[in-house]
Amino acid sequence: MLSSPNSGEIRHITVDEESAGQRLDNFLIRILKGVPKSHIYRIIRSGEVRRNKGRVSADDRVALGDVLRIPPIRLSERAEEKAAHPAPAREFPIVFEDEAFLAIDKPAGVAVHGGSGVSFGVIEQMRQARPQARLLELVHRLDRETSGLLLIAKKKSALKALQDQFRERETGKTYLALVKGNWPARLKVLDQPLHKYLLPDGERRVRVTTPDDPDGMRSVTLVKVAQRVPTPAGLEAALPEGLSLLEVTIKTGRTHQIRVHLSSAGHPIAGDDKYGDFELNRQLARIGLKRMFLHAWRLRLTHPVTKSTLELQCELPPELYKWRSAGIE
C-alpha cells in the first residue's frame, strides 16, 4: 500500500492477484486512501497514470503483474487534512463471515460508501477497522436509510461470483416494509418499468413509466402481506385503514425500486422522505418512527467457493420491531 498520499515522488505499483480484474479507478481509490476521487480521475484523464508505460482509462481493468506509474500527488490543505484524518474505523454487526466474504447488519442512516455529500460510508470505515485486509469491496448497495443485510467481498473471485449472481437475478432478496393503508392481498406482483431522472439540484429520483419509454427499465417486485398493524392512537384521521407489514422480494435491483413501486401503488413506505406521505411521516415521527421502515431481511445465495446454498437472515432492529409486535397476524 502507499503511505502518505501527499508525496512529491513518482511511485510504481505492481498489481497483485487479489487486485487483478478491478477497474483502475476503484483500484486507485483503494490504494490512494484519502485522495479525493476528483483528483484521481484528473490524473487518469491527463495521462499521468500509466500502465506498463502506456496510457490507461478509468474503466480499464488492471491485470496481475501490471506496473502502474503513480505521479506525485499534490493536495490542497483541505484535501491533505482529509487524507490525514480518514474515515473513523468501525466494525458492524456480523451476520456471516468466512474467508471469502462477510454479511453485516447495516444500520439505517449510514451510507454504504462515500460520495454525493457523504465523506465516508460503511466500506471506508471497515477498511480502516481492518487495515490488514487485502481486499474489502461492496458486493451490492443499500439506500442510506435502509437497514439490514449487506455483503462485502474479501476476495476478488468472491466479488465477481457474487456480483454475477446479483446481475443474473440468481439471488433471493426479501425486505420488510411497513406501508400506509390496507395492502390488497390480491396484489402480489408489481411489474412496472422505472425511469431515473435528476432534480434541478442534481439529486436522483425515480418514477414509474410506460412500457414504451426507451429509458424505462423493467422492474419486478413481489409482495406478500405479513400482517396488519392497527392504527396507532391519535392517527385515526391519517390512517383510517391502519398499516400493512409486507414481505417484499425484488427480482430486479433498480434504484429505489421498492420505494417507488409501493408508493405508486398508493401505499408509500412509512417514514420514506423521498416518495412517502410527508405529513404522515411527521405524525409517525412524533410517536417514535423516526426513520424509513425498510429493512433488508433475508438473502438466499450460492456460496462463491463451496457452491452451497446459503440463507441469511437479519432481524428487525429494535426501533422497527416494536411496530411488528403491535401487528395482527
Side-chain angles (χ1 to χ4, degrees), residues 143 256-263 272-275 292:
D143 289 347
H256 299 166
Q257 176 177 325
I258 295 175
R259 301 165 70 173
V260 176
H261 268 172
L262 299 186
S263 180
D272 187 343
D273 65 356
K274 287 185 170 64
Y275 307 99
M292 178 173 66

Side-chain angles (χ1 to χ4, degrees), residues 9 70 74 109-110 115 134 209 217 255 296 307 309 320 324:
E9 299 177 354
I70 309 298
R74 296 292 187 188
V110 180
R134 297 186 66 189
T209 187
M217 302 284 286
T255 301
K307 307 305 178 186
T309 299
L320 299 186
R324 177 166 200 167

Side-chain angles (χ1 to χ4, degrees), residues 122-135:
V122 168
I123 195 64
E124 291 86 1
Q125 291 181 290
M126 289 203 65
R127 286 170 181 162
Q128 289 296 323
R130 301 184 177 204
Q132 76 286 357
R134 297 186 66 189
L135 181 137

